[in-house]
Amino acid sequence: MLRGRDLEQAALAELLDRARDGRGSALLLRGQPGVGKSALLEDAVAAADDLTVLRTRGVESEAPLPFAALHRLLRPVLDGLDAIPAPQAQALRAAFGESTDDVGDRHLVFLATLNLLSEVAARGAVVAVVDDAHWLDDASTAALLFAARRLEGESVALLFAVRDDATGAFDSPDLPVLTVPGVDADAAEALIADQLGATVAPQVRAELLEVTAGNPLGLLELTRALSADQLSGHARLPDRLPLTEGVERTFLDRYRRLPASAQTLLLVAAADDSGRASTIARAAQGLGADPDALDVAEESGLLAENDGVLTLRHPLVRSAIYGAATSSRRRQAHRALADALAGTPQDDRRAWHLAASVDGPDDVVVAALDEAAERARRRGGHEAAASAWTRAAELTLDPHARARRLFAAAGAYVAAGRPIETDRLARAALLDATDPLLRADLIALQGQVEWNTGSLDEGYRLVCQAATTAAPHDPARARVLAMLAAALASFGARSADAPDPATIVPPPASTAPPEELVAGWLLDGFSAVRRSDWAEAAAALRRAWGTPIGPDAPPMLHHNLAIATMHLGDDARAIELHDLQLQHARDAGAVNMVEHALTRGVVFRIATGAWAQGSSYAQEAVLLDRNLGLDELVTFPLAELAVIAALRGAPDAPAHLDELRRALEQHPPRGTVAGLVAGLTHWAAARQPDITPATALHHLEQIELPIARGLSALDRIETAVRADRRDLAEEWLGELRAFAEGTDMAWAWAAVHHCRAVLGGAEVEEDFRQALEWHARSSRLPARARTQLALGEFLRRERRRSDARIPLREALETFETLGAGFWAERARQELRASGETARRGPDLVATELTAQESQVAGLVRQGLSNKDVAGRLFISPRTVDFHLRNVFTKLGISSRTELVALALDPA
């Protein structure tokens, strides 16, 4: 019976009731060691006799074993894997070592975890209990936190317990937390009476309560350690100790009173803590322990055996025994465990026990760690792979081999999204690396970390250094690195200490393989973009696009061929290449690449007026970023949504801009997207309703990146004219004309003629009509409609009302198709002023859907099944069904057919 835990028990009961009602949630119990977290978990399990209970716990020695804790949790329900999508099931089997396949993107494992829990919950509510979560392996932590944040609409409760003083990592800032305090005086008295049957003098009990802060384990263990005279108050109490140290001292005193054989077995159990009785017994016997050592250890109360599993009384027993042992005794215990595991399937455990058994270089141990690292990498355990390669490097004498292992570890940390560790290991490897190509790879890795998390300029400098290092030894590799540096420079990176990337390596021979030719032309093209030499940039980039390379070519080439389309505004090619990337990424379950392709593809849909699809893609990217905890990426799609809302003149445009600004405060963008996000933000701000021309111009003047300047060219120049800054308008027009002359892009020539007309002169009508001729060769519908509107306005002011109606009708039709309410209303006003009654477009259904509901509705309207929608948004099909029911209720409909038939606002 629990004492003094009414509030905590009520919170856990509510968690279980929510799961029973299909309102899944998670809860984190946090408290000091011994405060009673595990007892509360047991109480919750006892109260969940009508639920499916799944259990696991963190084991400190399993930190290097990827998905070990998750495997224990899900093992009882793995027969349900066939009910979830095959790629997810395959990834989960690979993560658990049940196949030799590579996991690929481990987000598939995370989604498989969520969907498996959801499938089990379809047969009855589920509670998953995770004790000692601070000791979970990193991969299990990531998977379980992923699931914990996506339980809305599920009949699943996830319950975690962690120590306040834990040294492990359990990053869960967004989970609800229940802090478990010590018990009060009444509960303490009852607890001691229940457990010990001892009579304690009031003043002694008060002092124990003060010393332990009501910690139940501390109360009981310190009370056990006192004599009858001390308990009655007739003898002095021992000197006070901090709680944890005091309890550990109590356990250690009990341990040291045992025979040597029992002490040996307990040390081996503390060194292993996997709990396998047969393994621990074999290892202890290998160190000379008697066969009856286990019985003696059990009788001490420090250890219990049940069904072949040994459990230490409390984690503090392990820390006390292991911490008090000498380093040589600990190494002997680990070596005995490694020997006991020889010939078993526990290769990873054996490798880590071997690693703990030596204090110097050992080729056998290094080989075992290399193999463990490779297995972890294949299973998606990037942190575990990095740990194994790092430890292997520590045990390696040869500097070159040590540097290569550190490089491998750094690369694994990149895959795990751990930039600080990546940079630390890359720096360490550079101290040993003498091979120039390895040094180049390490420096490039540092550059990647830097431009993504720190300074774009410093990242650029490092990539230039990497290319320079590689150039004398491998020109082809150096050319790709130089191309990457030039790409960074084309997005604004600069460094006085870096050479011009175009000068680092000579051009490839005309007979070079296609991949080398493409790398060379991309290098030339990006370098020309940096110089604003648009003719050279266009010629080089078009040669690169026109040279076929195979799907097995370096991914960096494919990515930069797509990115290069931004610089020319080659909309059709950009959408084609990014949609191809998106399809490949979806097929492979490569989440980061899905997000990359979605957001880059939206840029061109903004330009071409595919705003409904652009909004859908950007919203999907926002949900993907937030669902996967990639908050540092969310500002890009939020900026795109803000621009689309502003260009439409949507009523919620200010709300979109406010949301973007809040996100920018919390997560300033870094890397190559920083300039683009800044430009889109200023563009959206300049298009807000009721903004003055001067204020709008203030925002537009701050757009620096040429890509963003091109996208916003009409607004920048028109706003400069309205703000009486003809000088600025003419300067910007000259810049735009230079781009058009160099690239011969139809949209740019259309913008040049449009803006010339806006500036006035003798050929206004001719310039507008020239603009429309160029627009006919471009896919940028919003710009065409704006030229039609501007021409109609000009003709009406010239009292040619009949002539004005044709372009005004065409503009109105396009604006209505785009959902651009502001522009459509302006065209209607002009039509009325020309003497024609303008019809209104179809009324759209106003909704108050949440972002997730809106995205679910949009994907269902595209014909996707619930399972397909779930795969897109990285949620479970049951959560999709939950949102879809909410959509039906809010819209007053009852079927997918009705949803498809509605004229929903695409925003």
Side-chain angles (χ1 to χ4, degrees), residues 639 643 673-685 699-700 702-705 708-709 712:
V643 166
V673 302
L676 190 51
V677 171
L680 293 174
T681 302
H682 287 301
W683 190 16
H699 286 291
L700 294 169
Q702 296 179 69
I703 300 176
E704 297 179 355
L705 191 70
R709 292 169 74 83
S712 60

Side-chain angles (χ1 to χ4, degrees), residues 34 48 53 147 181 206 239 241-242 244 251 266 302-303 358 403 472 479 493 509 523 532 585 670 753 809 905:
V53 178
D239 292 337
L241 293 169
T244 298
F251 287 143
L266 282 165
L302 294 175
L303 175 147
V358 297
R479 193 171 294 109
L523 169 58
S532 297
R670 300 185 185 277
H753 287 287
R809 287 191 207 108
D905 182 347

Side-chain angles (χ1 to χ4, degrees), residues 226-448:
L226 298 179
S227 68
D229 284 346
Q230 289 172 323
L231 289 175
S232 65
H234 295 136
R236 179 176 173 275
L237 295 181
D239 292 337
R240 291 187 179 184
L241 293 169
L243 174 61
T244 298
E245 184 181 346
V247 174
E248 285 186 337
R249 174 78 60 86
T250 300
F251 287 143
L252 193 58
D253 288 345
R254 197 184 310 176
Y255 165 76
R256 284 172 171 162
R257 290 196 294 268
L258 297 175
S261 281
Q263 289 189 30
T264 296
L265 185 136
L266 282 165
L267 175 59
V268 171
D272 179 63
D273 76 358
S274 70
R276 291 179 175 83
S278 58
T279 301
I280 292 170
R282 282 199 307 274
Q285 289 169 15
L287 292 174
D290 297 333
D292 64 349
L294 177 57
D295 293 336
V296 176
E298 283 190 84
E299 290 168 0
S300 75
L302 294 175
L303 175 147
E305 189 271 341
N306 184 34
D307 291 335
V309 176
L310 299 184
T311 305
L312 293 171
R313 172 176 171 78
H314 191 274
L316 292 179
V317 174
R318 178 186 184 276
S319 57
I321 294 173
Y322 193 80
T326 64
S327 59
S328 63
R329 287 287 290 161
R330 290 198 293 263
R331 288 196 297 272
Q332 289 169 8
H334 285 293
R335 172 58 88 175
L337 284 163
D339 292 343
L341 289 169
T344 74
Q346 304 294 316
D347 291 332
D348 290 341
R349 285 184 182 277
R350 182 171 187 274
W352 280 103
H353 281 305
L354 284 172
S357 73
V358 297
D359 60 357
D362 189 306
D363 290 343
V364 173
V365 176
V366 167
L369 287 169
D370 281 343
E371 292 171 2
E374 186 56 33
R375 284 191 295 271
R377 183 200 63 77
R378 289 199 306 269
R379 293 166 60 184
H382 304 303
E383 299 91 344
S387 296
W389 272 314
T390 301
R391 179 60 175 150
E394 292 170 356
L395 301 175
T396 301
L397 269 179
D398 177 61
H400 178 71
R402 185 165 58 243
R404 286 208 168 277
R405 290 189 172 100
L406 289 173
F407 175 52
Y413 273 133
V414 167
R418 305 274 285 270
I420 295 174
E421 291 88 343
T422 301
D423 184 67
R424 174 176 58 80
L425 290 178
R427 290 177 184 276
L430 281 168
L431 296 177
D432 286 323
T434 55
D435 175 20
L437 295 180
L438 177 57
R439 292 188 63 82
D441 288 341
L442 286 162
I443 296 167
L445 194 61
Q446 286 184 298
Q448 179 183 344

Side-chain angles (χ1 to χ4, degrees), residues 81 212 710 718 793 861:
L81 276 179
T212 63
E718 286 186 354
E793 290 172 334
R861 282 164 56 83

Side-chain angles (χ1 to χ4, degrees), residues 803-868:
D803 291 339
R805 291 170 192 154
I806 296 174
L808 289 174
R809 287 191 207 108
E810 292 172 339
L812 175 60
E813 181 179 357
T814 300
F815 289 138
E816 286 183 341
T817 300
L818 296 175
F822 166 82
W823 292 103
E825 184 56 34
R826 183 166 152 184
R828 284 191 204 99
Q829 291 174 359
E830 285 295 327
L831 273 173
R832 284 193 289 270
S834 74
E836 180 173 308
T837 302
R839 60 172 179 80
R840 291 191 62 84
D843 290 332
L844 299 173
V845 176
T847 69
E848 294 183 358
L849 303 182
T850 67
Q852 193 96 295
E853 290 165 355
S854 177
Q855 189 64 18
V856 167
L859 293 173
V860 168
R861 282 164 56 83
Q862 294 176 28
L864 273 68
S865 68
N866 283 13
K867 187 173 287 189
D868 290 336

